[in-house]
Amino acid sequence: MDVNTFLSRRRSLATSSGEIAYTEFGTGPAALFVHGAGLSGALWRQVIEELSGTSRCIAVDLPAHGASPARPDMSLTGLAEALAELCGTLGLGQVDVVGNDTGGAVAQVFAGRHPDKIRSLTLTNCECEGNFPAPDFAVIIEQARQGALAPLLAQIAANPETWPTNPLSMGYQYPGRVAADAWRDYLTGIGGTIERARESERLLASLDAADIEAVGGQLRTLEAPALLVWGTADTNFDVKWAYHLRDMIPGAREVVEIDGAKIFFPEERPEDLVPHLRRLWAR
């Protein structure tokens, strides 16, 4: 699915804590897809194209990303509560949650705080207890806390010729193949104006390991089926962290290693994720 077709279905929803944007395709049991820092729900477009025949697929734009405005609380806990409000306002009941990168950390906090809402949990390369923030991400968070990141975000967003080599490109196996329209949505969503860049900076500065550590006990009692699908070529999220999560979450069934894949493989290599989701969900 091309980016513009996907984005043509993007909608905005009023919740108790503010507006949040999401894109929806398909009918059936609800599946909620959560992207990481710097991207948008468009990360999931190829996966959703394959799964929308049997599932109501909802890709959220986290606050201060994509088309979602910022909100007062953009900590991991605040982002997780934004997911809960989205689910509640849409009347979703239980959902199959799929998270990537920082969105995987948000998904873990959401699952820990709202286990009754989790039908299943799938995590791809992401932060977790003991690895938050990831090494390269820690540098960016520190820049944000110093107020030095926003001008860089705005500069990158304003210069399309730099998009294929922007810092997010390190998360792709083949960054040169990422569609220009995808880069446009991701980068203008976090830095299209200096005001937007300041909001993104505030979100990053709000991220704290304490939020994910606070749900460790709840995750250790989460009985919902869980699956870890992990790219092996990612230097920030070594595959050992997938096995850590498998051993931590009682409902975790297995770790699926995706050879040579990097953080954002759900966009580049959807064929390496979709069959495992189908098997887990058993639609």
Side-chain angles (χ1 to χ4, degrees), residues 81-93:
E81 289 309 300
L83 298 185
E85 291 175 3
L86 174 70
C87 292
T89 306
L90 291 175
L92 297 183

Side-chain angles (χ1 to χ4, degrees), residues 89-130:
T89 306
L90 291 175
L92 297 183
Q94 286 196 320
V95 292
D96 295 297
V97 180
V98 186
N100 175 256
D101 190 33
T102 310
V106 176
Q108 290 168 62
V109 177
F110 175 60
R113 292 173 64 88
H114 301 279
D116 56 310
K117 297 183 183 295
I118 306 300
R119 184 186 301 112
S120 71
L121 175 65
T122 300
L123 299 172
T124 62
N125 298 57
C126 64
E127 284 103 346
C128 64
E129 173 191 275

